[in-house]
Amino acid sequence: MDNIAKGIPHMSLDIDEEAVVENATTIREKQGHSCCGGCCDVRRAVIIICIINIVGNTINMLLSATTKSMAHGIANGIATFDDDMFNSQAADQSVQTLDSELNSFMIIEFAKIVAAGLAMLGAFTFNKYLVAINVISLLVRLSIYIYVRMYASMGSIIVGLLINGLFLYPHVFLILYIHNGIMTKENYPYERQSCCCVPPV
């Protein structure tokens, strides 16, 4: 019997207590806020909002470029078919003014795209400083909106505040959660949430 026992491989039943404790402490309940009444986590919300911003601002830039092209075509048509020098000069001046305004608008839209892109990168990499860039961008846009709408109806101001607020608040929560260690690369599996495409942890 002793010879048979010696031929059987030794199976250790020793348990690494430190590893058990470490694994047990990593299992925890979700601590982060659920965006929009449980639709998704704030990291996912920031990524979605940034994608919406990038797409919308890109469309605005394309529409501006199209408007510039059409304006130049109209001005050239007036210069070609209208012998009146005054009309031609007025058309050129109008196009130059429109060009200047559209160029400024396109630069602002491009800056918004950069800010949203950096914030999305920050959400992917859990970098609160990159996310904060889009917070600054959104606050500037909100300030401009309030200034422009200062004498408009209260209803339009409230609608604008609500839309900008909905875009802002996931960013703010994500920055706080990253800063406080609630949402990191290591514990995000316990924080992730989506109403349609994320299986339960």
Side-chain angles (χ1 to χ4, degrees):
M1 292 294 291
D2 291 340
N3 293 333
I4 296 175
K6 290 180 181 179
I8 299 176
H10 176 66
M11 298 179 63
S12 176
L13 296 178
D14 294 338
I15 298 176
D16 189 345
E17 295 182 359
E18 292 183 0
V20 172
V21 172
E22 182 180 354
N23 290 333
T25 55
T26 58
I27 300 174
R28 61 176 181 80
E29 296 294 327
K30 176 177 171 62
Q31 298 178 17
H33 172 74
S34 297
C35 187
C36 299
C39 178
C40 60
D41 60 81
V42 291
R43 177 176 180 253
R44 190 176 298 270
V46 168
I47 293 171
I48 293 172
I49 289 171
C50 289
I51 292 173
I52 293 173
N53 285 338
I54 291 171
V55 172
N57 295 328
T58 301
I59 292 173
N60 287 340
M61 290 185 68
L62 292 175
L63 290 176
S64 298
T66 303
T67 302
K68 285 180 62 176
S69 178
M70 292 175 62
H72 281 282
I74 293 172
N76 292 334
I78 292 174
T80 302
F81 298 104
D82 194 337
D83 295 331
D84 191 336
M85 183 64 68
F86 176 78
N87 289 338
S88 179
Q89 291 177 346
D92 287 339
Q93 187 175 1
S94 298
V95 170
Q96 290 176 3
T97 302
L98 182 63
D99 267 352
S100 178
E101 293 177 353
L102 288 177
N103 287 336
S104 299
F105 177 77
M106 292 173 70
I107 291 172
I108 293 173
E109 293 301 295
F110 179 74
K112 293 177 184 178
I113 292 173
V114 172
L118 290 174
M120 185 163 62
L121 176 62
F124 277 118
T125 59
F126 300 93
N127 187 314
K128 61 184 178 182
Y129 300 107
L130 292 179
V131 178
I133 292 175
N134 206 36
V135 171
I136 296 172
S137 173
L138 290 170
L139 287 173
V140 171
R141 290 158 63 179
L142 179 59
S143 301
I144 294 173
Y145 179 86
I146 293 174
Y147 177 78
V148 171
R149 298 279 180 172
M150 187 179 299
Y151 301 104
S153 64
M154 185 58 65
S156 64
I157 295 177
I158 292 174
V159 170
L161 289 173
L162 287 174
I163 293 174
N164 283 278
L166 287 174
F167 280 16
L168 267 171
Y169 100 88
H171 288 74
V172 174
F173 271 100
L174 179 58
I175 291 171
L176 291 175
Y177 291 159
I178 293 174
H179 178 75
N180 294 326
I182 294 175
M183 192 168 286
T184 64
K185 181 179 180 181
E186 290 73 24
N187 61 30
Y188 180 68
Y190 301 103
E191 295 295 331
R192 66 179 183 174
Q193 182 178 355
S194 176
C195 58
C196 60
C197 52
V198 173
V201 179

